[in-house]
Amino acid sequence: MMNVVAFDLGASSGRAILGSFDGSRLSLRELHRFPNQMAKVRGHHYWDSLRLFAEMEAGLKKAMQDAQITSIGIDTWGVDGTFVGPNDTIVGMPYAYRDFSTGNMEACIAAFGREWLFTTTGIQFWPFNTLFQFYWHVQHRTPALAQAEQFLFSPDYYRYLFTGVRATEYTIASTSQLLDVRTRAWSAEIFEKLGMPLTLMGALVEPGTRCGTVEETSVAAIAVAGHDTASAVVAVPADRTRSDWAWMSSGTWTIIGIETDQPVTTMDACSKGFSNEGGLHGTTRFLKNIMGLWLTQECVRIWRMQGHEYTFPEINEMARTAPSTARINVNDMRFYNPENMIEEIQQACRESGQPVPQTPGEIQRCILESLANAYAVALKDLQALSGRTFSTLHIVGGGCQNELLNQMTADACGVTVVAGPVEATATGNIMIQLVANGALNTLEDARNVLRASFPVKVYRPAR
């Protein structure tokens, strides 16, 4: 029996997951769960990173009391990170990605050139990209930037707190819009344009690299696919010898894409909102970000403030019987971080001349139908840009538990939806650790274990 721990941190919660492999099957057990929310202080949004690390330490302590642990791996959301100074000094609180504005992004694009940026990096333009965060730091001459010796992305930062070893894992770095998508190295030209030293970024390591041990233990720290979506894609239970499938990671964000050998950096791909991010073994995740169940999460938060404690299954049941009233453009930046998501959705419907959803069921149905429609458009664009035809869409992550949305997606896309595993991110994280530790020989061996260990649910188009 080999036991490893996956730390899976999302924008709303974090977990410590124990993965136990008996030689043929993998079992997962959640040992510790803790909340994660942006802290708004003096007009800026930050991550409470030291509290999160303390929670991770508590999770590892529980694991070590329960089993002999071989290694840990950490994955998080993309783009964000922390500046580290000389003598292991932590420089400031890490900004949260929703803190950065479209105005700042557009100023950077105007200075650098939209087409040049996309063909160089292959990354779509979102206000939160690390490039635009750095541009903001430069423009505001922030003290953190002046004091920094190195920048560590979130999973690399937490691994460093555990081990004292600084290393930058490739998949998380690939979300930054600071890499050259062709050379898979930091773009010296981008840093020259920023006026920042390239030495601020660490040497890149591939997923599966051992990066020290947890201090005062013999537990290895493995640099897994640090970007949570990259880890989730590892765990997609698809037949990799075929090309007629796409994947979708469903959660706070929805990300839909394929694995390719070469990036796609045409301006057509750019105009349709696609990105090229790093995958395992030199592959590229050609994908599109869609504002996913964040819309529902924010509505739930507002309803809770109004005194209504709705669970997600309750809201979905209301939506199932609610009339179909309106649809919204879920990727409209008005939904990026509004004060009141319910009012924002209603106002968007009002402005477009559609019936305004009023009840929780009507609002949720509007969200789900709008998401399914966005998925169908993205899948159609993905087929056109890749030259592939898809018969199956694999949905993984927490959002794959939403049966109503899964069926709506199958109907809207006209493909078979295969939902599961739910814990794809943690599973992919653990699979990489098992291969790195020698418990499995190859990633395909790990995927065979995955198929034997976790069931999936199939949804077929109703029409």
Side-chain angles (χ1 to χ4, degrees):
M1 180 73 73
M2 178 175 286
N3 299 293
V4 302
V5 175
F7 291 105
D8 176 25
L9 273 64
S12 59
S13 67
R15 292 96 45 74
I17 306 288
L18 177 67
S20 299
F21 178 56
D22 65 5
S24 59
R25 288 180 182 270
L26 174 65
S27 63
L28 305 181
R29 184 153 57 95
E30 183 180 294
L31 297 177
H32 188 55
R33 176 183 286 266
F34 45 94
N36 182 24
Q37 288 186 319
M38 297 177 292
K40 190 172 183 180
V41 181
R42 305 296 299 168
H44 288 284
H45 294 85
Y46 302 92
W47 298 117
D48 191 355
S49 60
L50 295 181
R51 181 189 65 80
L52 293 177
F53 178 63
E55 297 281 9
M56 295 166 73
E57 286 187 306
L60 181 57
K61 183 178 180 179
K62 289 180 181 180
M64 295 180 71
Q65 289 172 344
D66 194 71
Q68 183 175 344
I69 305 302
T70 301
S71 64
I72 64 168
I74 305 168
D75 65 76
T76 76
W77 64 95
V79 306
D80 289 344
T82 302
F83 291 107
V84 179
N87 302 315
D88 290 335
T89 304
I90 308 303
V91 182
M93 292 285 288
Y95 284 86
Y97 62 86
R98 292 190 189 275
D99 192 67
F100 296 91
S101 70
T102 54
N104 173 71
M105 174 186 73
E106 292 298 342
C108 183
I109 292 172
F112 287 29
R114 181 178 297 269
E115 183 171 354
W116 180 83
L117 267 177
F118 186 77
T119 55
T120 299
T121 67
I123 297 296
Q124 195 49 240
F125 304 102
W126 286 92
F128 49 68
N129 291 354
T130 320
L131 166 63
F132 304 133
Q133 296 190 26
F134 280 7
Y135 183 80
W136 182 88
H137 281 287
V138 170
Q139 297 304 306
H140 289 80
R141 302 173 184 264
T142 61
L145 187 59
Q147 298 167 24
E149 185 177 75
Q150 192 169 350
F151 179 83
L152 292 174
F153 295 96
S154 296
D156 303 320
Y157 170 67
Y158 292 120
R159 192 176 58 252
Y160 156 72
L161 293 182
F162 272 117
T163 66
V165 175
R166 301 183 191 180
T168 303
E169 187 275 324
Y170 178 72
T171 68
I172 194 71
S174 75
T175 68
S176 65
Q177 206 167 27
L178 296 167
L179 289 174
D180 186 311
V181 72
R182 302 289 175 183
T183 65
R184 294 169 61 91
W186 301 116
S187 169
E189 194 167 355
I190 285 178
F191 280 87
E192 184 178 347
K193 287 176 180 288
L194 281 170
M196 290 174 59
L198 189 57
T199 53
L200 195 65
M201 313 307 292
L204 296 168
V205 301
E206 290 294 323
T209 302
R210 178 171 174 149
C211 297
T213 58
V214 176
E215 290 179 346
E216 300 181 1
T217 77
S218 60
V219 177
I222 306 296
V224 298
H227 187 212
D228 50 12
T229 306
S231 273
V233 172
V234 171
V236 171
D239 182 352
R240 256 79 177 174
T241 65
R242 300 172 62 96
S243 63
D244 62 343
W245 59 276
W247 53 263
M248 187 165 80
S249 177
S250 179
T252 301
W253 287 90
T254 295
I255 306 176
I256 185 169
I258 57 174
E259 289 180 310
T260 68
D261 293 328
Q262 296 295 328
V264 181
T265 57
T266 63
M267 291 313 294
D268 193 21
C270 178
S271 66
K272 287 182 168 62
F274 282 79
S275 279
N276 299 267
E277 295 179 358
L280 263 66
H281 306 317
T283 59
T284 294
R285 291 174 292 127
F286 183 55
L287 56 85
K288 182 172 183 176
N289 280 12
I290 298 169
M291 220 165 313
L293 291 169
W294 158 254
L295 288 90
T296 298
Q297 292 166 358
E298 278 296 282
C299 288
V300 168
R301 182 179 67 84
I302 299 299
W303 285 319
R304 185 179 298 119
M305 290 171 59
Q306 296 171 349
H308 304 293
E309 292 285 345
Y310 297 125
T311 67
F312 290 105
E314 286 173 342
I315 297 170
N316 274 357
E317 192 54 40
M318 295 179 203
R320 191 183 302 277
T321 57
S324 176
T325 57
R327 290 183 181 178
I328 56 174
N329 173 10
V330 295
N331 266 6
D332 190 321
M333 291 307 296
R334 70 190 300 166
F335 304 122
Y336 177 58
N337 195 18
E339 288 293 325
N340 188 311
M341 184 68 77
I342 296 170
E343 292 180 358
E344 201 67 45
I345 290 171
Q346 291 173 327
Q347 183 61 23
C349 293
R350 193 174 292 115
E351 291 172 4
S352 59
Q354 301 179 87
V356 178
Q358 299 292 338
T359 68
E362 289 173 353
I363 291 168
Q364 177 69 342
R365 189 171 189 95
C366 172
I367 291 171
L368 296 184
E369 288 183 337
S370 300
L371 286 174
N373 183 66
Y375 300 162
V377 172
L379 193 66
K380 182 179 179 181
D381 288 342
L382 190 58
Q383 289 185 141
L385 291 166
S386 68
R388 300 183 187 179
T389 301
F390 306 120
S391 61
T392 305
L393 178 63
H394 285 270
I395 303 182
V396 298
C400 81
Q401 299 173 96
N402 192 319
E403 296 188 353
L404 180 57
L405 179 55
N406 291 342
Q407 188 60 58
M408 287 180 174
T409 301
D411 295 343
C413 296
V415 299
T416 298
V417 164
V418 179
V422 174
E423 294 288 2
T425 302
T427 303
N429 178 324
I430 288 166
M431 288 163 60
I432 294 170
Q433 291 187 65
L434 292 177
V435 174
N437 291 328
L440 291 164
N441 292 323
T442 67
L443 200 54
E444 197 50 49
D445 290 340
R447 287 177 176 133
N448 290 334
V449 169
L450 167 70
R451 296 184 190 101
S453 302
F454 304 106
V456 297
K457 189 167 183 178
V458 176
Y459 300 80
R460 303 191 189 282
R463 58 181 184 276

